[in-house]
Amino acid sequence: MANHFEFNIRVYIEDTDAGGIVYHANHIRYMERTRTEWLRAAGVDHYWHQEDYNFVVHQIQVKYVRPILMDDLITVTARVISCKAASFVLQQNIYRGEILLASGEVTLACLNKDMMPRRLPDEIRDLIQKELAQD
């Protein structure tokens, strides 16, 4: 898998305000959905059925460039940009065709079942290292 994942999402009325513009918090939901599908596409399908670790958003920065509108078909991307022992960072962008609508940088931390930091699982760290090597 190349270090560039894309996921298409259709914008529905429940995503928008009265003016037909996507509510700002939904940009973060679209990014979350894309990260989940990125793991699924990478073959990490057991993540949702295990209890040894969890990923939590440690930090997120979002820049809103242009509005996302009702019925848009958007593409949300995810690309690993760095990795530490217990966390990693993804660059995520939202596009309508070639037009950049929003960009974000998300730091995900890995926690154990007691909600304390823990090293990334080998499978996840290997996936991330492989993707970083493709840049």
Side-chain angles (χ1 to χ4, degrees):
M1 174 200 271
N3 188 12
H4 179 81
F5 180 77
E6 295 184 356
F7 185 65
N8 293 323
I9 299 171
R10 176 71 65 187
V11 175
Y12 296 104
I13 196 162
E14 70 260 15
D15 299 327
T16 66
D17 61 17
I21 297 172
V22 169
Y23 180 65
H24 72 277
N26 286 336
H27 294 66
I28 295 170
R29 291 178 57 205
Y30 298 151
M31 290 178 184
E32 175 74 29
R33 197 173 305 162
T34 299
R35 290 192 304 273
T36 300
E37 294 301 328
W38 167 67
L39 285 173
R40 186 186 321 276
V44 186
D45 55 1
H46 70 279
Y47 171 68
W48 301 270
H49 305 293
Q50 57 81 37
E51 298 178 4
D52 295 333
Y53 63 91
N54 284 296
F55 290 114
V56 296
V57 173
H58 175 67
Q59 183 176 343
I60 189 166
Q61 297 174 341
V62 179
K63 180 178 180 182
Y64 302 94
V65 180
R66 294 189 177 178
I68 302 173
L69 306 172
M70 167 62 193
D71 203 41
D72 277 351
L73 179 60
I74 59 174
T75 301
V76 185
T77 65
R79 182 175 66 87
V80 179
I81 58 175
S82 69
C83 182
K84 294 183 178 177
S87 66
F88 62 99
V89 180
L90 290 169
Q91 171 66 45
Q92 294 198 259
N93 295 321
I94 302 174
Y95 296 93
R96 178 178 46 246
E98 299 293 319
I99 300 168
L100 178 65
L101 305 173
S103 64
E105 191 170 289
V106 184
T107 303
L108 296 163
C110 189
L111 302 180
N112 66 19
K113 62 184 175 182
D114 297 320
M115 298 298 158
M116 299 297 293
R118 65 154 279 178
R119 294 183 73 76
L120 293 171
D122 291 340
E123 179 183 20
I124 304 293
R125 185 175 36 260
D126 292 347
L127 166 70
I128 291 168
Q129 294 299 332
K130 180 180 176 185
E131 293 198 8
L132 284 170
Q134 294 178 17
D135 266 353

